[in-house]
């Protein structure tokens, strides 16, 4: 969407500009096609997925699918979902004041329809930037249908002097408020089965049900779910009809080689400039650090179902530098280099992130 559109403030001006409505899945698809044709990177900053996860993700977007990213901890699942925002149009028009980002050309909510009926072509339009079109919810056992879908609001009913039979008393939940956005539900198996069931209609038929109100709201949402295979046995599972409604399930994985793992660690490690100026880290030390994590992933003593997160190498690298830095500060050295003895300092960054298999338990 061109920036000149931001100057448009009414429905009349929007129509005159020739604006055409487009679903979020078509937006993602069209912008992805454009990037692929130009040879641009579609998911920058994600390493090791160039020939596996990213092509599958691109195929899912081209197919206009809702997506489930299935993988162990620290495999950039949420990062991939965040990067999908870059495939959205820069700005989209919404009916000003709408709770559910109503498209001025296809209003859905009672508020938007009544406003357009009242003001016609003078209906005020506001613009939503793509950065504001990302909503995220971490699934926990205490999440309710009211949180996600909505509920009747007694305070609104009292203030507006409305009966509970009037649909204006509804308070919309997170999903309707994420209309025309990317909505991510992290750790989907942690969501209670009855809450997962409430998503069926939204994914397939596009209507929502709140306390006896059946609202025909064809919500326009790109759903991205993340799940950890360990959760299927530990805490819950994804109910089969919901899995059936998710278009593509994509398996993520850990880096295949040390070079890729090093790229990820160097990119993600939060280092102070004074640390990097003071401490020199030879390539051998970086390779050794990554090798520790690779050995842990292959070890029979480490719980493979739990995995060894990429965060392990990132925090271990930060600790390695801090260990060398502390030694330099204590000895009042102007410069130092990582030594083999400094590797003892990475233990606290590793112990909390690796789950061992205990024999006999």
């Amino acid at each position: 969407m061109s920036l000149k559109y931001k100057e448009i403030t009414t429905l009349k001006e929007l129509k005159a500009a020739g604006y055409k409505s487009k679903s979020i899945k078509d937006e993602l698809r069209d912008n992805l096609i454009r990037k692929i044709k130009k040879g641009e990177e579609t998911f920058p900053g994600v390493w090791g997925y160039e020939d596996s996860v990213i092509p599958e993700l691109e195929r899912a977007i081209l197919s206009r699918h809702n997506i489930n990213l299935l993988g162990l901890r620290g495999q950039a699942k949420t990062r991939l979902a965040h990067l999908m925002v870059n495939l959205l149009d820069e700005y989209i028009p919404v009916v000003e004041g709408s709770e559910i980002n109503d498209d001025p050309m296809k209003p859905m909510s009672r508020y938007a329809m009544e406003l357009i009926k009242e003001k016609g072509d003078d209906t005020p339009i506001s613009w939503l930037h793509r950065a504001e079109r990302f909503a995220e919810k971490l699934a926990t056992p205490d999440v309710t249908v009211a949180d996600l879908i909505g509920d009747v609001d007694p305070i609104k009913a009292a203030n507006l002097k409305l009966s509970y039979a009037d649909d204006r008393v509804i308070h919309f939940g997170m999903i309707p408020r994420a209309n025309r956005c990317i909505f991510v539900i992290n750790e989907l198996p942690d969501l209670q089965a009855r809450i997962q069931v409430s998503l069926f209609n939204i994914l397939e038929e596009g209507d929502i049900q709140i306390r006896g109100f059946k609202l025909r709201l064809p919500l326009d949402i790109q759903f991205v779910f993340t799940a950890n295979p360990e959760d299927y046995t530990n805490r819950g599972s994804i109910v089969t009809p919901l899995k059936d409604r998710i278009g593509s399930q994509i398996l993520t994985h850990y880096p295949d080689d040390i070079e890729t793992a090093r790229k990820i660690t160097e990119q993600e490690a939060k280092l102070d400039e004074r640390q990097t100026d003071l401490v020199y880290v030879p390539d051998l030390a970086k390779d050794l650090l990554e090798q520790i994590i690779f050995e842990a992933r292959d070890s029979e003593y480490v719980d493979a179902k739990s995995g060894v997160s990429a965060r392990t190498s990132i925090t271990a690298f930060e600790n390695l530098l801090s260990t060398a830095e502390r030694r330099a500060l204590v000895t009042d050295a102007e410069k130092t280099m990582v030594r083999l003895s400094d590797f003892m300092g990475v233990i606290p960054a590793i112990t909390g992130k690796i789950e061992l298999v205990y024999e006999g338990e």
Side-chain angles (χ1 to χ4, degrees):
M1 177 60 66
S2 167
L3 275 174
K4 68 182 173 67
Y5 276 106
K6 276 208 77 187
E7 298 162 14
I8 294 167
T9 56
T10 65
L11 182 57
K12 183 180 181 179
E13 291 169 357
L14 189 69
K15 288 175 180 173
Y19 173 78
K20 286 183 172 60
S21 294
K22 189 191 283 187
S23 76
I24 185 167
K25 288 183 167 72
D26 282 328
E27 268 182 65
L28 290 164
R29 178 184 155 80
D30 292 351
N31 291 321
L32 175 63
I33 289 169
R34 199 171 297 119
K35 276 183 179 283
I36 291 172
K37 281 184 174 177
K38 285 182 181 176
E40 293 176 14
E41 204 174 356
T42 49
F43 291 89
V46 177
W47 306 104
Y49 284 173
E50 296 82 2
D51 300 319
S52 55
V53 176
I54 289 174
E56 289 194 5
L57 198 49
E58 288 174 347
R59 287 194 285 270
I61 292 168
L62 291 171
S63 301
R64 302 182 185 86
H65 284 174
N66 292 311
I67 299 162
N68 182 28
L69 296 169
L70 182 66
L72 296 171
R73 65 179 83 163
Q75 291 185 349
K77 298 188 293 293
T78 309
R79 162 71 65 90
L80 288 169
H82 272 279
L83 288 171
M84 281 176 69
V85 170
N86 298 327
L87 295 174
L88 295 170
D89 288 347
E90 190 174 5
Y91 286 97
I92 57 162
V94 297
V95 175
E96 199 169 276
S98 165
E99 288 179 282
I100 62 169
N101 303 324
D102 275 286
D103 183 339
M105 299 298 197
K106 294 179 180 175
M108 285 191 302
S109 70
R110 181 162 173 164
Y111 165 84
M113 288 190 282
E114 287 186 352
L115 187 67
I116 290 171
K117 191 177 177 182
E118 178 194 337
K119 299 202 170 184
D121 282 352
D122 294 326
T123 302
I125 301 297
S126 58
W127 293 86
L128 195 64
H129 190 260
R130 62 179 160 221
E132 299 171 77
R133 297 175 64 195
F134 183 90
E136 190 174 9
K137 180 65 181 163
L138 176 63
T140 53
D142 62 336
V143 172
T144 64
V145 174
D147 294 334
L148 291 179
I149 316 292
D151 206 346
V152 169
D153 185 350
I155 296 168
K156 191 187 272 190
N159 287 344
L160 298 174
K161 294 184 173 60
L162 296 169
S163 118
Y164 281 179
D166 194 309
D167 64 5
R168 283 173 292 179
V169 302
I170 289 171
H171 172 79
F172 289 114
M174 290 185 74
I175 291 176
R177 287 171 183 272
N179 184 40
R180 303 172 77 200
C181 300
I182 294 169
F183 190 82
V184 178
I185 298 182
N186 280 313
E187 311 302 342
L188 183 61
D190 282 0
L191 213 57
Q192 290 182 47
R194 65 187 178 83
I195 313 298
Q196 292 184 35
V197 168
S198 70
L199 299 174
F200 291 178
N201 272 29
I202 294 170
L203 286 173
E204 200 67 27
E205 286 82 23
D207 60 60
I208 62 172
Q209 294 179 19
I210 299 172
R211 296 272 174 158
F213 291 104
K214 185 175 180 182
L215 303 176
R216 184 66 192 160
L217 287 182
L219 295 171
D220 181 24
I221 298 173
Q222 171 66 53
F223 280 99
V224 180
F225 304 100
T226 73
N228 186 325
E230 180 204 2
D231 296 342
Y232 282 88
T233 52
N234 253 14
R235 293 192 290 271
S237 63
I238 303 174
V239 297
T240 309
L242 181 58
K243 275 199 278 192
D244 187 49
R245 285 167 165 80
I246 298 169
S248 290
Q249 180 164 284
I250 297 167
L251 300 178
T252 57
H253 57 84
Y254 288 123
D256 294 327
D257 54 77
I258 283 176
E259 190 184 342
T260 305
R262 262 182 60 177
K263 270 188 192 176
I264 295 166
T265 302
E266 287 170 18
Q267 176 180 281
E268 299 300 321
K270 294 178 176 64
L271 303 174
D272 190 299
E273 261 182 48
R274 289 167 295 182
Q275 276 182 318
T276 48
D277 290 344
L278 178 65
V279 182
Y280 170 70
V281 188
D283 286 346
L284 177 62
K286 293 175 184 176
D287 287 347
L288 274 173
L289 186 78
E290 298 300 341
Q291 190 64 45
I292 292 169
I293 310 307
F294 273 70
E295 293 296 329
R297 285 178 189 147
D298 291 338
S299 171
E300 61 184 295
Y301 300 112
V302 173
D303 186 357
K305 293 199 301 292
S306 179
V308 180
S309 167
R311 296 183 194 94
T312 312
S313 50
I314 294 161
T315 52
F317 184 62
E318 290 165 350
N319 257 13
L320 184 66
L321 256 81
S322 298
T323 307
E325 180 188 28
R326 182 183 176 278
R327 176 169 45 75
L329 293 169
V330 169
T331 57
D332 201 28
E334 283 186 23
K335 291 267 184 186
T336 191
M337 185 172 104
V338 165
R339 298 176 185 172
L340 204 56
S341 58
D342 294 329
F343 276 84
M344 292 302 289
V346 309
I347 292 172
I350 292 173
T351 49
K353 295 182 180 68
I354 291 182
E355 291 183 28
L356 300 177
V357 177
Y358 296 102
E359 285 189 25
E361 286 193 24

